[in-house]
Amino acid sequence: HSLEVSQIGRSVGCALRLNEPLIEAICLAHDLGHTPFGHAGQDTLNACMRDYGGFEHNLQSLRVVDELEAKYADFPGLNLMFETREGILKHCSLRNARELGDVGERFLQRRQPGLEAQIANLADAVAYNNHDVDDGYRAGLITLEQLREQALFETQYTELAAAVGYAGAILFFTGSFGIGMAIASQML
């Protein structure tokens, strides 16, 4: 997932002439603190840790790069620049933001992070939403005909069919990640 997020983020960053290595670093590290079983695992761990301040996967991602990863003898963490750390954090509670110093300040002042962090966040949403569409299709919960009822999808499907024929378009859209990526290309 993080590799797909990174690819999407870098593509958007390139088009907007933003700092691509920064976007890539944020995208690759954004889920380091995720528990097994995704958000369900996070909710369970949060409930177990309630008496100790709870659990936030974004805060844990920051903890991994700031404290747990040991690359240097003189200090803990990866020595990442502020913008990378801010982008990894994405969101956190106000209670935790007060304890984070400069990287938590934007939450207390209710400011947005830099554009690179916002692009990484958008790329994450595109990647997981597209996987949801693909999963729904593969599980038989949604059909190609139902997808074609959506203007965004139909536009992409028609353009591809004109280029490679309807058989080729069906093959593309029913293949791995084809549906989601076609929609993503138009969302961005």
Side-chain angles (χ1 to χ4, degrees), residues 45-58:
L45 187 54
N46 188 43
C48 292
M49 298 297 295
R50 185 163 290 131
D51 294 340
Y52 305 96
F55 178 83
E56 296 178 31
H57 80 270
N58 291 308

Side-chain angles (χ1 to χ4, degrees), residues 132-143:
D132 288 348
V133 172
D134 285 340
D135 290 346
Y137 178 81
R138 283 192 204 96
L141 300 173
I142 189 168
T143 66

Side-chain angles (χ1 to χ4, degrees), residues 88-163:
I88 291 169
L89 190 55
K90 192 161 98 171
H91 51 77
C92 76
S93 66
L94 292 179
R95 178 181 49 79
N96 285 326
R98 288 184 190 95
E99 299 172 15
L100 293 174
D102 61 346
V103 79
E105 194 62 31
R106 79 168 168 89
F107 296 100
L108 299 174
Q109 295 181 5
R110 303 201 188 291
R111 291 187 327 233
Q112 292 296 316
L115 286 175
E116 288 83 359
Q118 293 178 51
I119 294 301
N121 190 28
L122 262 171
D124 184 34
V126 167
Y128 69 71
N129 283 310
N130 288 328
H131 273 286
D132 288 348
V133 172
D134 285 340
D135 290 346
Y137 178 81
R138 283 192 204 96
L141 300 173
I142 189 168
T143 66
L144 186 59
E145 291 73 28
Q146 289 172 314
L147 287 168
R148 289 188 68 190
E149 292 173 8
Q150 304 304 310
L152 184 60
F153 183 87
E154 179 60 18
T155 300
Q156 292 300 294
Y157 184 86
T158 303
E159 287 179 16
L160 185 63

